[in-house]
């Protein structure tokens, strides 16, 4: 999954050209292919261009696609699913068929080895006025399809495109029926992916031509006058068009044969329009439909996944006590990690289920699978809603999400201090240093070594090493004994004139803040978390009493001031942590925001005008901080509760003193 829009779509023309919309030129939809070609080829501009650069016109090489014969030419018209498509290829100089001029963006920066090529315009016009529509394959034709992958044509042949398209249509139908074996599905998707990867633009033109400019492919959708779409949608180009473009036009852009030692590059028109999104949608549909069923109640709850005060308790109820399984799967799929790092869906499901079991091992009131899901969702908010995901690589996002899921794996429900004081085996194993955090990491990676749970099996050696290092750094940073030093180091760094924040330290601070963030959530959620945490503390206090150990702070159920403890926790721990984290994020993301300040602000970002030392205001990047209002409200409620508790204690003490025997005079 490519990153970074969690379910955010990257514009199709980005990096290869821009998407424009024009009015439909006055082209008769009744023109034949030959007439349309002659109409464009006889224009004076095109003739001059062809005479000056004969290679742009090409020879009369014929290509056979789907039983039809086309000539290499300036344009072509065809009909698919009731719509007429016209492809018009312009020479590198920009000359071509007469059309209404529209403003064009500057071409992308040249790349080494890229030939100068003309633009390709796709004209799509509705043909509902008496046109015969080409129908997709019938059910009878699909029923006769053999899904055996042993005798398929080579992936770099035109016939392979037809085979792949037919098989994908058949797979979609069978997925809707739920009648497709996982192994067969996997083999056919792999074949289709290989076919798409074999589609390329040959870049073997002479070196002089390669140095001139990068290829500029400008895609325009010229719609009818009543078409109100503002941009090209992926579904506007059917699979048949993608296949035809890939097998006909993309290989004809080069004038020289590809050298045997050059590796084809997947930079075709088909890729720019359809391929990546098409395969990604198929893959997501497979993982969510065939191999991972989401109950409707879970789907309903996950609709609020992007909210700061996400109700993980509702997810727990909807998922029958499996919030980690569904939320973890949804996040990794939403960020494209499953596809990007080739994580087998069944392996991921096994991994998340085993992680969930580990969180439930000791039946903790607080450090359980609910807490894991809550922290993972909060990390998602920080990644997505602040824009942090745009600063991180795919592997770093993958590591951050996994670290959030496993950060308290197999927690014993007791503190590090309890392990040290009681001399537990875990404390002996890790020499009294970050006892629980070391165990969380070690146990999680031991689980990953199991073939049935190895979600990292397709990472390279270097990727695995980087992933493991990031996860270790992040989980170790959740040790509260490092809290004040961690904040001090980050504050000192941010005071520098040009601070450079290490990515590992940044995501470590984010995970730590998310781990202690429940006081910064909505009151009903925070209060429920507080009661669960106190229950866990009190259970530890009971064990300490039995072992003859002194009570740890807040663990004596008979002498703990709940409201006062939460006010102190907010004032001295949570509020400063969230403040430093926000400052760090604004420092990191400010340069990214300034480079795109002319574009519309993304979700979770708002430019704030602040007064500078001079008379003119400056624009300073700020992130939204929903936790600020929650902290203020929660602290206010706790203060009111503390006043009531103090009044109740005073009254109880007064009553106790009043019932004591009177002294003799």
């Amino acid at each position: 999954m490519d990153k970074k829009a969690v379910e955010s779509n990257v514009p199709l023309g980005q990096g290869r050209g821009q998407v424009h919309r024009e009015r439909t030129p006055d082209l008769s939809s009744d023109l034949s292919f030959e007439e349309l070609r002659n109409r464009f080829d006889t224009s004076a501009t095109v003739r001059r261009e062809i005479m000056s650069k004969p290679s742009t016109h090409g020879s009369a090489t014929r290509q056979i696609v789907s039983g039809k014969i086309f000539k290499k030419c300036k344009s072509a018209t065809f009909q698919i699913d009731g719509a007429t498509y016209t492809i018009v290829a312009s020479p590198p100089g920009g000359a071509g068929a007469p059309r209404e001029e529209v403003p064009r963006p500057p071409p992308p920066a040249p790349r080494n080895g890229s030939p100068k090529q003309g633009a390709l315009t796709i004209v799509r016009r509705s043909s509902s006025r008496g046109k015969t529509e080409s129908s997709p394959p019938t059910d009878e034709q699909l029923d006769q399809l053999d899904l055996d992958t042993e005798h398929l044509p080579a992936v770099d042949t035109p016939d392979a495109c037809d085979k792949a398209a037919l098989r994908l249509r058949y797979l979609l139908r069978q997925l809707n029926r739920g009648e497709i074996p996982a192994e067969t599905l996997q083999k056919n998707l792999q074949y289709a992916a290989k076919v798409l990867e074999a589609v390329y633009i040959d870049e073997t033109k002479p070196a002089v031509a390669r140095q001139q400019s990068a290829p500029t492919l400008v895609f325009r959708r010229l719609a009818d006058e009543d078409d109100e779409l503002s941009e090209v949608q992926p579904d506007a180009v059917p699979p048949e068009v993608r296949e035809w473009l890939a097998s006909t036009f993309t290989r004809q852009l080069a004038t020289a044969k590809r050298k045997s030692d050059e590796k084809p590059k997947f930079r075709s028109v088909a890729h720019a329009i359809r391929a990546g999104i098409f395969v990604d949608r198929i893959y997501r549909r497979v993982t969510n439909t065939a191999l991972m069923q989401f109950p409707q109640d879970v789907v309903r709850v996950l609709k609020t996944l992007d909210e700061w005060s996400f109700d993980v308790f509702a997810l727990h109820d909807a998922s029958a006590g499996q919030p980690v399984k569904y939320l973890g799967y949804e996040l990794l799929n939403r960020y494209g990690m499953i596809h990007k790092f080739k994580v087998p869906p069944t392996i991921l499901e096994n991994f998340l289920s085993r992680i969930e079991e580990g969180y439930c091992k000791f039946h903790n009131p607080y450090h359980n699978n609910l807490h894991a899901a809550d922290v993972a969702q909060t990390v998602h908010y920080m990644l997505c809603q602040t824009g942090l995901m745009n600063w991180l690589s795919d592997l770093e996002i993958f590591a951050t999400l996994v670290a959030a899921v496993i950060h308290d794996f197999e927690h014993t429900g007791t503190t590090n201090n309890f392990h040290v004081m009681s001399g537990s085996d875990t404390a002996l194993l890790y020499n009294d240093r970050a006892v629980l955090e070391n165990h969380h990491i070690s146990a999680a990676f031991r689980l990953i070594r199991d073939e049935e749970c190895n979600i990292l099996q397709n990472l390279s050696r270097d990727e695995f090493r980087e992933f493991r290092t990031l996860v270790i750094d992040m989980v170790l940073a959740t040790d509260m004994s490092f809290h004040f030093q961690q904040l001090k180091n980050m504050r000192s760094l941010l005071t520098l004139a040009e601070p450079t924040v290490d990515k590992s330290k940044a995501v470590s601070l984010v995970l730590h803040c998310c781990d202690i963030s429940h006081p910064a959530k909505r009151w009903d959620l925070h209060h429920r978390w507080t009661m669960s945490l106190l229950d866990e503390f009190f259970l530890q206090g009971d064990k300490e009493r039995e072992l003859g150990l002194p009570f740890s702070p807040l663990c004596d159920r008979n002498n703990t001031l709940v409201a006062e403890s939460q006010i102190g926790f907010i004032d001295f721990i949570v509020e400063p942590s969230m403040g430093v984290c926000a400052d760090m994020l604004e420092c990191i993301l400010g340069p990214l925001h300034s480079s795109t300040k002319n574009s519309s602000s993304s979700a979770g970002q708002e430019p704030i005008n602040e007064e500078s030392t001079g008379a003119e205001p400056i624009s300073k990047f700020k992130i939204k901080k929903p936790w600020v209002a929650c902290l203020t409200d929660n602290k206010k409620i706790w203060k009111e509760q503390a006043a009531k508790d103090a009044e109740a204690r005073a009254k109880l003490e007064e009553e106790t003193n009043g019932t004591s025997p009177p002294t003799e005079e």
Side-chain angles (χ1 to χ4, degrees):
M1 178 211 177
D2 222 49
K3 59 200 175 185
K4 318 243 187 203
V6 179
E7 294 290 316
S8 59
N9 293 327
V10 179
L12 292 178
Q14 185 172 347
R16 301 178 183 275
Q18 300 296 325
V19 179
H20 298 278
R21 188 167 67 131
E22 299 178 350
R23 294 183 179 178
T24 306
D26 185 16
L27 299 176
S28 173
S29 58
D30 295 327
L31 291 177
S32 66
F33 172 83
E34 192 67 26
E35 291 172 336
L36 184 60
R37 182 175 69 86
N38 292 335
R39 177 170 181 175
F40 280 100
D41 284 348
T42 53
S43 66
T45 306
V46 174
R47 285 201 305 273
R48 288 193 300 269
E49 186 66 22
I50 294 174
M51 292 176 64
S52 61
K53 296 182 180 180
S55 60
T56 62
H57 184 261
S59 61
T61 303
R62 295 177 180 267
Q63 296 288 334
I64 302 178
V65 182
S66 302
K68 297 182 180 180
I69 298 179
F70 295 93
K71 286 186 177 181
K72 184 183 293 186
C73 57
K74 288 293 175 182
S75 61
T77 300
F78 49 92
Q79 294 183 357
I80 292 179
D81 293 339
T84 298
Y85 292 85
T86 299
I87 310 300
V88 181
S90 301
R99 60 175 66 89
E100 182 181 348
E101 292 293 328
V102 295
R104 294 191 180 186
R111 296 181 181 177
N112 292 334
S114 299
K116 183 177 181 181
Q117 297 169 352
L120 186 65
T121 302
I122 302 178
V123 183
R124 181 186 184 278
R125 296 188 297 145
S126 174
S127 60
S128 58
R129 303 164 186 170
K131 304 288 186 299
T132 57
E133 299 184 358
S134 57
S135 59
T138 64
D139 289 342
E140 182 178 353
Q141 292 174 317
L142 293 177
D143 289 336
Q144 297 175 356
L145 181 64
D146 181 11
L147 290 181
D148 179 34
T149 57
E150 299 296 329
H151 305 290
L152 289 170
V155 295
D156 59 349
T157 61
D159 189 37
C161 294
D162 297 333
K163 295 288 186 182
L166 190 61
R167 284 167 181 267
L168 289 176
R169 283 187 175 275
Y170 180 78
L171 292 177
L172 283 174
R173 192 191 69 166
Q174 294 304 102
L175 281 176
N176 291 329
R177 297 180 178 180
E179 301 174 351
I180 183 72
E183 183 178 0
T184 302
L185 181 64
Q186 183 180 15
K187 289 182 178 180
N188 281 273
L189 283 179
Q190 286 177 347
Y191 176 76
K194 289 179 180 178
V195 172
L196 293 176
E197 289 168 357
V199 177
Y200 66 94
I201 294 180
D202 195 336
E203 297 188 23
T204 57
K205 284 192 174 183
V208 176
R210 287 200 302 267
Q211 294 174 359
Q212 291 180 359
S213 66
T216 303
L217 301 180
V218 182
F219 297 90
R220 297 190 187 91
R221 181 181 178 205
L222 307 179
D224 288 334
E225 293 182 359
D226 58 347
D227 189 351
E228 296 298 331
L229 292 178
S230 61
E231 61 180 10
V232 174
Q233 300 295 330
D235 291 336
V237 184
E240 292 86 348
V241 180
R242 172 183 56 79
E243 294 158 8
W244 184 74
L245 289 171
S247 60
T248 306
F249 283 90
T250 59
R251 294 175 187 266
Q252 296 182 9
L253 292 177
T255 58
K257 294 184 178 180
R258 181 171 59 91
K259 298 179 182 179
S260 59
D261 59 343
E262 290 185 353
K263 185 178 180 180
K265 297 182 179 180
F266 187 29
R267 295 177 50 207
S268 65
V269 180
H271 174 63
I273 299 179
R274 184 78 179 182
I277 293 178
F278 186 74
V279 172
D280 183 65
R281 287 184 174 182
I282 292 291
Y283 191 87
R284 287 173 183 247
R285 189 163 187 174
V286 170
T287 55
N288 287 318
T289 304
L291 300 176
M292 184 71 171
Q293 295 290 341
F294 278 66
Q296 289 301 316
D297 289 342
V298 172
V299 174
R300 174 182 52 80
V301 176
L302 289 177
K303 289 181 179 179
T304 61
L305 189 61
D306 295 339
E307 296 180 3
W308 170 250
S309 291
F310 173 75
D311 191 351
V312 72
F313 299 103
L315 177 62
H316 180 270
D317 296 339
S319 62
Q322 296 179 295
V324 170
K325 174 183 176 181
Y326 291 105
L327 187 139
Y329 195 102
E330 170 66 17
L331 289 180
L332 291 173
N333 192 38
R334 181 177 293 197
Y335 282 89
M337 300 296 103
I338 299 176
H339 177 60
K340 174 67 178 179
F341 297 105
K342 299 179 175 63
V343 182
T346 53
I347 298 298
L348 177 58
E349 187 174 355
N350 292 339
F351 171 76
L352 292 173
S353 296
R354 293 282 296 277
I355 290 292
E356 195 124 42
E357 292 173 6
Y359 273 104
C360 300
K361 184 176 181 179
F362 296 97
H363 308 285
N364 304 324
Y366 180 84
H367 288 102
N368 50 33
N369 55 342
L370 266 167
H371 171 66
D374 181 60
V375 172
Q377 185 277 331
T378 309
V379 167
H380 157 65
Y381 181 94
M382 290 296 197
L383 288 174
C384 179
Q385 299 302 316
T386 68
L388 179 61
M389 57 181 287
N390 299 315
W391 185 63
L392 301 173
S393 68
D394 288 333
L395 188 65
E396 289 161 350
I397 294 174
F398 189 22
T400 301
L401 293 173
V402 172
V405 169
I406 63 101
H407 82 281
D408 275 331
F409 180 53
E410 292 187 351
H411 198 290
T412 58
T414 52
T415 63
N416 283 337
N417 184 64
F418 177 84
H419 280 277
V420 173
M421 296 299 292
S422 63
S424 69
D425 291 339
T426 310
L428 291 174
L429 178 62
Y430 297 112
N431 301 314
D432 299 346
R433 304 291 177 87
V435 177
L436 284 170
E437 289 73 25
N438 274 303
H439 175 74
H440 303 326
I441 301 164
S442 178
F445 275 98
R446 284 198 303 270
L447 175 61
I448 291 175
R449 291 177 64 181
D450 185 344
E451 290 183 359
E452 298 298 320
C453 301
N454 189 1
I455 61 173
L456 308 179
Q457 59 186 252
N458 289 314
L459 265 61
S460 67
R461 186 183 299 273
D462 291 340
E463 287 175 334
F464 176 81
R465 176 53 51 192
E466 181 182 355
F467 179 96
R468 176 170 163 79
T469 300
L470 283 169
V471 171
I472 291 173
D473 289 346
M474 282 185 275
V475 177
L476 286 180
T478 61
D479 183 357
M480 283 300 296
S481 65
F482 300 149
H483 169 78
F484 290 106
Q485 188 63 43
Q486 192 175 10
L487 290 191
K488 180 181 177 181
N489 292 341
M490 186 56 67
R491 281 197 187 101
S492 300
L493 179 62
L494 296 177
T495 58
L496 299 178
E498 295 182 359
T500 302
V501 182
D502 179 72
K503 286 188 174 182
S504 177
K505 289 182 172 56
V507 292
S508 295
L509 179 59
V510 167
L511 178 58
H512 172 56
C513 291
C514 294
D515 190 25
I516 60 174
S517 65
H518 74 81
K521 300 294 182 69
R522 202 173 60 227
W523 166 256
D524 60 314
L525 302 176
H526 163 52
H527 185 263
R528 190 167 176 177
W529 284 122
T530 301
M531 295 301 105
S532 297
L533 183 57
L534 289 174
D535 285 344
E536 189 168 297
F537 282 167
F538 294 157
L539 290 175
Q540 176 176 316
D542 296 342
K543 295 177 182 178
E544 290 171 333
R545 183 187 293 109
E546 293 174 2
L547 295 173
L549 298 173
F551 286 114
S552 297
L554 305 181
C555 291
D556 185 356
R557 63 175 68 246
N558 298 318
N559 293 291
T560 295
L561 302 177
V562 177
E564 286 82 351
S565 69
Q566 289 305 301
I567 294 172
F569 186 49
I570 291 174
D571 281 339
F572 299 106
I573 302 297
V574 181
E575 203 164 34
S577 300
M578 300 303 293
V580 173
C581 185
D583 292 342
M584 178 195 70
L585 291 174
E586 291 171 353
C587 174
I588 290 170
L589 302 175
L592 297 180
H593 174 76
S594 61
S595 63
T596 58
K597 60 184 178 181
N598 293 331
S599 61
S600 58
S601 299
S602 59
Q605 301 175 1
E606 52 180 5
I608 304 296
N609 290 329
E610 294 187 356
E611 294 296 330
S612 63
T613 54
E616 296 182 358
I618 61 173
S619 178
K620 184 177 180 181
F621 173 74
K622 294 287 185 179
I623 63 171
K624 285 186 177 180
K625 306 179 183 72
W627 52 83
V628 172
C630 293
L631 286 169
T632 302
D633 294 342
N634 293 342
K635 188 161 58 172
K636 178 180 179 182
I637 296 175
W638 282 124
K639 287 182 176 180
E640 294 173 353
Q641 185 64 43
K644 293 179 181 178
D645 291 345
E647 184 179 348
R649 287 195 301 271
K651 185 176 182 180
L652 179 61
E653 184 179 356
E654 181 180 351
E655 291 177 353
T656 302
N657 294 335
T659 56
S660 60
T663 58
E664 294 182 0
E665 295 183 358

